[in-house]
């Protein structure tokens, strides 16, 4: 099977675009498929693209590319704001996948009961799904709400950054700090259902708190083979 490379990197300058083109060509010359976001004209033909829901479409398309690729090649240049968000996104995906893999190794090694493993993974997933995220942006130029266009535009948010903020905040985008404080007061005063957390066994507590070494699970599992 011809494996696919997700080619991530800054592409907001002519020089950066040339670099991405060079990388894509050289990877294809090796004989691998390439998913390069800058080649996706539905989101990156900046002169003609429909801006309605653009941030959401960028995140959707690029995330799909990340998930369906076998290899990630990513330029971590600090100018690539959206790319750096992708880097963290990939790290988070791998962290969770590793936790699940470690638990499965424990089941295969007879250390962990399969039903308990399912509960642990389900609870972790629920913790993450219901973890509230309040993105905000303190750039003072956001306060200028007058209509602006062309080179007179004072401020613009990287659309991948904004798309992820929208996704994490259920479509809200950026909160103002007073809104965040109100939400925190609401959370503090509300009754939170944490009953399931009381049912976690010693293994799950130990793993989550970091004093159970997942590498020992893996080594035990490998030793049984």
């Amino acid at each position: 099977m011809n494996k696919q490379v997700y080619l991530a990197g800054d592409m907001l300058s002519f020089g950066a675009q040339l670099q991405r083109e060079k990388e894509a060509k050289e990877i294809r010359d090796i004989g691998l498929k390439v998913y390069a976001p800058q080649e996706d004209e539905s989101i990156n033909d900046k002169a003609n693209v429909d801006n309605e829901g653009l941030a959401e479409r960028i995140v959707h398309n690029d995330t799909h590319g990340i998930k369906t690729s076998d290899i990630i090649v990513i330029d971590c240049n600090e100018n690539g704001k959206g790319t750096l968000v992708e880097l963290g996104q990939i790290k988070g995906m791998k962290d969770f996948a590793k936790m699940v893999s470690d638990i499965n190794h424990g089941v295969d090694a007879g250390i962990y009961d399969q039903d308990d493993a399912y509960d642990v993974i389900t609870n972790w997933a629920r913790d993450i799904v219901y973890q509230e995220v309040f993105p905000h942006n303190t750039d003072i130029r956001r306060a200028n709400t007058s209509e602006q266009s062309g080179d007179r535009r004072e401020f613009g948010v990287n659309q991948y950054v904004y798309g992820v903020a929208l996704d994490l905040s259920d479509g809200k985008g950026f909160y103002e700090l007073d809104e965040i404080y109100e939400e925190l007061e609401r959370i503090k005063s509300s009754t939170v259902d944490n009953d399931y957390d009381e049912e976690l066994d010693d293994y799950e507590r130990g793993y989550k708190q970091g004093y159970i070494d997942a590498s020992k699970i893996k080594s035990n599992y490998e030793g049984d083979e």
Side-chain angles (χ1 to χ4, degrees), residues 178-191:
D178 59 346
E179 293 177 314
I180 293 176
Y181 298 151
E182 288 175 8
E183 290 295 321
L184 296 179
E185 289 286 353
R186 172 187 61 78
I187 293 168
K188 182 176 181 295
S189 61
S190 66
T191 302

Side-chain angles (χ1 to χ4, degrees), residues 177-219:
L177 272 175
D178 59 346
E179 293 177 314
I180 293 176
Y181 298 151
E182 288 175 8
E183 290 295 321
L184 296 179
E185 289 286 353
R186 172 187 61 78
I187 293 168
K188 182 176 181 295
S189 61
S190 66
T191 302
V192 181
D193 179 16
N194 279 330
D195 291 344
Y196 77 93
D197 203 46
E198 298 301 321
E199 301 171 1
L200 303 183
D201 62 21
D202 290 339
Y203 183 90
E204 182 173 2
R205 287 198 184 92
Y207 195 100
K208 291 180 80 172
Q209 294 169 13
Y211 60 78
I212 288 181
D213 187 353
S215 65
K216 291 181 180 177
I217 297 174
K218 189 170 183 180
S219 62

Side-chain angles (χ1 to χ4, degrees), residues 99-113:
M99 288 193 295
V100 173
S101 179
D102 286 341
I103 292 295
N104 285 334
H105 284 150
V107 171
D108 291 339
I111 298 171
Y112 210 47
D113 178 82

Side-chain angles (χ1 to χ4, degrees), residues 96 99-100 117-131 196 204 208:
F96 192 82
M99 288 193 295
V100 173
Y118 174 82
D119 290 340
V120 170
I121 293 169
T122 300
N123 287 340
W124 278 346
R126 184 161 72 168
D127 283 345
I128 293 170
V129 168
Y130 289 104
Q131 181 183 58
Y196 77 93
E204 182 173 2
K208 291 180 80 172

Side-chain angles (χ1 to χ4, degrees), residues 61-180:
N61 289 15
D62 289 3
T63 299
H64 179 74
I66 290 168
K67 288 178 177 178
T68 57
S69 293
D70 306 287
I71 303 162
I72 307 291
V73 174
I74 185 165
D75 180 1
C76 300
N77 187 305
E78 294 180 6
N79 291 329
K81 296 176 184 177
T83 305
L84 296 178
V85 172
E86 288 183 332
L87 184 67
Q89 185 178 349
I90 294 163
K91 174 69 164 62
M93 290 166 58
K94 281 188 170 288
D95 282 349
F96 192 82
K98 183 179 182 300
M99 288 193 295
V100 173
S101 179
D102 286 341
I103 292 295
N104 285 334
H105 284 150
V107 171
D108 291 339
I111 298 171
Y112 210 47
D113 178 82
Q114 190 166 9
D115 289 338
D116 289 341
Y118 174 82
D119 290 340
V120 170
I121 293 169
T122 300
N123 287 340
W124 278 346
R126 184 161 72 168
D127 283 345
I128 293 170
V129 168
Y130 289 104
Q131 181 183 58
E132 296 194 65
V133 180
F134 301 109
H136 68 109
N137 188 322
T138 55
D139 193 306
I140 62 173
R141 294 171 296 178
R142 291 182 64 240
N144 187 346
T145 58
S146 62
E147 187 173 338
Q148 302 176 36
S149 62
D151 290 331
R152 294 291 185 182
R153 285 175 293 188
E154 185 177 17
F155 174 70
V157 180
N158 178 282
Q159 288 299 283
Y160 197 91
V161 173
Y162 189 55
V164 170
L166 285 166
D167 191 35
L168 292 175
S169 61
D170 294 326
K172 167 72 174 178
F174 294 138
Y175 285 80
E176 300 303 326
L177 272 175
D178 59 346
E179 293 177 314
I180 293 176

